[in-house]
Amino acid sequence: MSDTTTAGSLQEEVREYYRAKAAEAETSGACCSPDPQTFGPAAYDEIGPGTAPDAALLASLGCGNPSAVAELREGETVLDLGSGGGLDVILSARRVGPDGRVFGLDFLEEMLALAARNVADAEIDNVVLLKGTIESIPLPADTVDVIISNCVINLSLNKPAVFAEMARVLTPGGRLGISDVVAEDRLSPEERAERGGHSQCIAGALSVAEYKELLDAVGLKDAEVVFTQEAADGLHAAIIRAHKPADSTAGTQECAPGGTCC
């Protein structure tokens, strides 16, 4: 089987897996661990009643709470990569307030429809949902103050493109605060794949060193990767932070190749 065929098969596997998750949104599940006590909705045990619709919380498939990790402030513009059922979009919108704005980006119509219903139920009007991929973000350069993501980057088959896009759309001085599954440096890609599938956020996980190298390569500085809890042997849910220098000229292209700018 060629690399192209393999990549196509993995992409379709991811699409079908998350289509099924969208259809089963009334039940809880976690993409990153078989243990729903620590991942998915359990990662949001600090949010109060009424903060987000129950349907949005139960549809969470992530490994952390990136809207809290990013320490969002009022008036900021936020981009959620792989916004899924919309929980992190809703929480972010409440944190940035009416003067802020939140973009939710997802590649599945089913997830966008679910998110739209949840956003409407939450009665939030500072959210824009976008269809697209995280490898080609449909926004102009220097658009967002903060990028968040919840256990999505590990699913990409072209991670250098994802990191380049993050650097492009961040404003100078902007930052990222994301949750993802990350491997210990001792594990080879083959060893990661032995511990879980691609759609379950294990096989495609980057190592700590790989994460930092990719961030540095696109000019995102002061990268830190902090493990929070175990997802599998040698793999962990983690918090990743970095920022784009205030004097950065990275990301001067106005729109992503093939993207549709707003």
Side-chain angles (χ1 to χ4, degrees):
M1 183 180 291
S2 69
D3 290 343
T4 301
T5 302
T6 301
S9 298
L10 283 174
Q11 286 175 336
E12 188 57 29
E13 173 193 320
V14 171
R15 287 180 183 274
E16 290 306 315
Y17 182 86
Y18 287 98
R19 280 196 182 102
K21 288 298 182 183
E24 298 167 3
E26 71 277 5
T27 62
S28 63
C31 80
C32 306
S33 170
D35 182 5
Q37 301 304 311
T38 55
F39 291 85
Y44 296 87
D45 58 357
E46 84 289 356
I47 68 173
T51 303
D54 289 345
L57 182 60
L58 291 175
S60 173
L61 298 168
C63 55
N65 182 349
S67 62
V69 167
E71 299 177 352
L72 303 180
R73 298 184 284 269
E74 288 193 12
E76 291 187 314
T77 297
V78 180
L79 170 63
D80 182 9
L81 298 181
S83 49
L87 177 60
D88 293 319
V89 166
I90 292 167
L91 296 178
S92 297
R94 295 200 189 282
R95 287 177 184 270
V96 301
D99 293 330
R101 193 180 193 191
V102 180
F103 293 101
L105 175 65
D106 207 279
F107 73 139
L108 283 181
E109 291 281 3
E110 294 88 345
M111 281 296 186
L112 289 167
L114 176 61
R117 291 194 297 272
N118 288 330
V119 168
D121 288 345
E123 299 182 342
I124 289 173
D125 58 9
N126 58 338
V127 167
V128 178
L129 298 176
L130 303 171
K131 184 179 181 182
T133 69
I134 63 176
E135 296 86 0
S136 183
I137 298 170
L139 287 173
D142 303 334
T143 301
V144 298
D145 301 307
V146 188
I147 291 175
I148 66 172
S149 185
N150 198 351
C151 200
V152 171
I153 292 174
N154 60 71
L155 297 172
S156 174
L157 302 181
N158 186 357
K159 294 181 179 66
V162 177
F163 284 75
E165 282 290 87
M166 289 195 292
R168 183 184 67 82
V169 301
L170 275 176
T171 59
R175 66 193 186 279
L176 60 86
I178 61 181
S179 299
D180 209 355
V181 170
V182 180
E184 297 174 15
D185 289 334
R186 64 182 175 88
L187 294 185
S188 68
E190 293 75 21
E191 289 171 324
R192 297 169 214 172
E194 291 172 356
R195 287 157 169 77
H198 195 86
S199 295
Q200 290 73 39
C201 305
I202 299 297
L206 294 166
S207 69
V208 174
E210 289 166 344
Y211 236 111
K212 290 183 176 181
E213 287 169 6
L214 285 169
L215 289 167
D216 185 66
V218 298
L220 297 178
K221 302 302 182 183
D222 297 328
E224 63 173 0
V225 180
V226 179
F227 293 156
T228 57
Q229 54 192 316
E230 187 176 73
D233 177 32
L235 293 109
H236 306 263
I239 292 167
I240 301 97
R241 294 187 179 94
H243 76 272
K244 183 175 179 177
D247 59 353
S248 174
T249 58
T252 56
Q253 184 178 347
E254 195 62 21
C255 297
T260 303
C261 291
C262 295

